[in-house]
Amino acid sequence: MEREKLKSRLGFILLSAGCAIGIGNVWKFPYMAGQGGGGAFVLFYLLFLVILGLPIMSMEFAVGRAAQASPLHMYQKLERKGQKWHIHGYVAFFGNIALMAFYTVVTGWIVYYFVKFLTGQTENLGFVAMITNPGVNVTYLAVTVIVAFTILCFNLQGGLERISKYMMTLLLVLMVVLAVHSATLSGAAEGLKFYLVPDFSKITGPVIVGAMNQAFFTLSLGIAAMEIFGSYMSDEHTLPGEAVRICALDTFVALMAGTIIFPACFTFGVTPDNGPSLIFQTLPPVFINMAGGRFWGALFFL
């Protein structure tokens, strides 16, 4: 059976960016930045994206494009006799399963908030009440898996590529709209100062390590995710060029997420170092207090 290919270059860029962009940017980046002191964390995050993220993504694309295979077979195909690179193929395989186990739970939380906004049940939203309710967690985990499986049933072009084009375009437009709205909030100046102006007294070892970890996490590096997309990459396009485009989109969404959330934190009295619950505490008040908030909230969590 001939291996299916992506239909267009835009499909490749948005699909690869869709892997890099997502919960890691919209959910994890803001709370990591909040815990890391704001601007100090962002400074090191951008630095690590340039000196580590771009070169490693280019290398992963190179491995994928050369092999044109899945991670389990990729290293077997490329390694020389006697080498042990194929062992990493198994590590990557189980790493992706572990990532899926983690991401499907968090995605379930987001689907739950989407349903609540869609149905107008936004008065009693509570993050702690949600994550401590086994019924809610298991139900929305199942919904997430079923939806993802359904999309994959339509294969590469008809499923993943098609849905990524629509959803990624909507996400990029939505992030700009929400960032502009957050800039009008009363706490915008204080929030943006915390977020974008580095306080060098807050630069510590854990902040630097956290920024480096986030740079790897947000670009999905090290577990062959980008190698998978590289295996569908055309020979006509340069490896660093595609990596730069994907990193730029990824960074844009991450920075927009912080621009949306930190002004809201300082407006609605939420401490920016609240951790994993940050977007679930700061964004509902933003949507509830803006015109058409039910629509914007449902669209954001979708």
Side-chain angles (χ1 to χ4, degrees):
M1 182 178 176
E2 187 179 350
R3 195 165 187 264
E4 190 179 10
K5 297 184 180 297
L6 290 166
K7 191 175 181 180
S8 65
R9 183 186 186 189
L10 179 63
F12 166 77
I13 291 173
L14 291 181
L15 185 58
S16 301
C19 179
I21 297 168
I23 299 172
N25 299 73
V26 179
W27 169 64
K28 192 178 181 188
F29 174 78
Y31 89 69
M32 289 290 289
Q35 290 181 328
F41 178 92
V42 173
L43 176 65
F44 278 95
Y45 167 76
L46 294 174
L47 180 65
F48 286 126
L49 278 181
V50 173
I51 65 174
L52 294 176
L54 276 173
I56 293 174
M57 180 178 281
S58 298
M59 287 190 288
E60 292 204 6
F61 280 158
V63 171
R65 187 165 72 177
Q68 300 279 298
S70 70
L72 281 178
H73 303 292
M74 201 172 278
Y75 295 96
Q76 295 172 357
K77 188 174 179 180
L78 296 178
E79 70 183 2
R80 295 175 183 174
K81 188 175 181 180
Q83 291 183 328
K84 304 295 182 183
W85 282 103
H86 64 275
I87 294 172
H88 181 64
Y90 295 99
V91 174
F93 176 74
F94 289 110
N96 278 280
I97 291 175
L99 184 67
M100 185 179 70
F102 162 69
Y103 257 10
T104 47
V105 174
V106 181
T107 305
W109 299 346
I110 292 174
V111 174
Y112 171 81
Y113 269 67
F114 160 68
V115 170
K116 289 295 183 182
F117 271 94
L118 189 67
T119 56
Q121 302 175 53
T122 56
E123 292 182 4
N124 298 313
L125 280 174
F127 180 74
V128 174
M130 175 188 66
I131 64 171
T132 54
N133 187 328
V136 167
N137 279 270
V138 172
T139 298
Y140 285 94
L141 166 65
V143 169
T144 299
V145 173
I146 291 168
V147 170
F149 183 80
T150 302
I151 292 169
L152 292 172
C153 284
F154 291 93
N155 298 323
L156 186 66
Q157 288 187 16
L160 277 177
E161 185 176 5
R162 178 180 295 176
I163 199 91
S164 294
K165 283 182 178 179
Y166 291 118
M167 299 297 276
M168 288 302 300
T169 303
L170 273 175
L171 176 65
L172 294 172
V173 172
L174 179 62
M175 296 298 280
V176 172
V177 170
L178 293 178
V180 170
H181 176 267
S182 281
T184 67
L185 297 175
S186 60
E190 195 176 355
L192 291 174
K193 181 181 178 181
F194 168 82
Y195 177 47
L196 297 175
V197 179
D199 180 351
F200 293 102
S201 67
K202 294 183 179 179
I203 297 175
T204 62
V207 168
I208 295 172
V209 172
M212 183 171 63
N213 287 343
Q214 179 61 18
F216 274 78
F217 184 86
T218 190
L219 294 177
S220 302
L221 300 176
I223 58 168
M226 286 300 154
E227 292 172 14
I228 293 170
F229 294 116
S231 71
Y232 295 101
M233 188 177 176
S234 168
D235 290 334
E236 298 174 6
H237 305 122
T238 64
L239 300 168
E242 302 303 82
V244 165
R245 290 178 183 87
I246 292 161
C247 282
L249 281 173
D250 178 84
T251 305
F252 172 77
V253 172
L255 293 177
M256 285 296 101
T259 305
I260 294 164
I261 286 168
F262 290 111
C265 287
F266 286 86
T267 300
F268 298 107
V270 177
T271 54
D273 60 352
N274 264 12
S277 65
L278 186 62
I279 71 163
F280 298 101
Q281 291 180 319
T282 56
L283 290 182
V286 172
F287 295 128
I288 290 168
N289 288 282
M290 70 186 287
R294 177 176 164 184
F295 166 77
W296 291 113
L299 187 60
F300 174 83
F301 287 110
L302 175 65

